[in-house]
Amino acid sequence: MKTLLRIFLVAMLIFAGSAVKVLAQDKQDKAELVKAQKIAFFTDKLSLTSVEAERFWPVYNEYWNRKNKIITERRATMAYCQKNLSRMSSKEIKAYADRYVGFQKQEADLLMEFNLKFQKVLPVEKVMRLYQADNDFKNWLLQQIKGDGKE
């Protein structure tokens, strides 16, 4: 009976490990799919020429890499506060509130910096279309997630 239990436990551990790998791969596949859809969406909305695309995407990717770092830090801060707010002093809460506002400022400063960089690689009309496309893509993606999206 102990041998059967051990075999069962080993099989469950192997299955659980495989399931985690499949879920991680599925998440990575979805992220890659969203990235590909975003590239196609922006290329279409901005009517990027091949020369513009070659100059634009490295700048845009740098922007999003830096923005994602800020977003990740903000989420971690907010998760910590959500979990610990009732145990925090007023002084700690104020510090976290100030940090939250600081994250918003970092994002605004980043956009100001990259607005200039975008204008160096694209005509100003396409920079404005970029901001519109960013908002449109976010809305489209939310519709896809909600299941209301039409492909």
Side-chain angles (χ1 to χ4, degrees), residues 37-49 53 56-57 133:
Q37 289 171 326
K38 187 175 191 177
I39 290 169
F41 189 90
F42 277 53
T43 300
D44 178 57
K45 292 287 185 178
L46 300 177
S47 301
L48 294 175
T49 66
F56 167 73
W57 285 111

Side-chain angles (χ1 to χ4, degrees), residues 97-143:
D98 291 346
R99 258 181 99 183
Y100 178 81
V101 172
F103 290 129
Q104 300 299 319
K105 184 178 182 316
Q106 285 177 35
E107 280 190 63
D109 291 345
L110 184 68
L111 184 57
M112 291 289 290
E113 174 187 340
F114 275 84
N115 181 51
L116 297 174
K117 290 181 180 187
F118 293 141
Q119 290 179 26
K120 288 180 181 176
V121 298
L122 293 177
V124 70
E125 296 83 11
K126 289 189 179 186
V127 173
M128 194 60 226
R129 279 197 252 157
L130 165 65
Y131 300 140
Q132 292 169 332
D134 194 43
N135 191 51
D136 291 347
F137 184 77
K138 199 180 317 174
N139 290 334
W140 176 84
L141 193 56
L142 286 171
Q143 291 302 314

Side-chain angles (χ1 to χ4, degrees), residues 4-34:
L4 186 60
L5 181 60
R6 284 184 184 159
I7 292 171
F8 176 74
L9 288 174
V10 169
M12 289 303 292
L13 287 173
I14 292 170
F15 175 75
S18 297
V20 167
K21 286 180 185 175
V22 167
L23 290 175
Q25 182 63 43
D26 187 46
K27 186 176 181 179
Q28 184 178 358
D29 290 346
K30 286 181 182 176
E32 289 297 319
L33 176 62
V34 168

Side-chain angles (χ1 to χ4, degrees), residues 51-68:
V51 172
E52 287 172 337
E54 189 176 313
R55 294 171 62 203
F56 167 73
W57 285 111
V59 175
Y60 186 79
N61 290 336
E62 180 187 353
Y63 167 72
W64 266 98
N65 288 337
R66 289 179 54 190
K67 184 173 179 170
N68 278 330

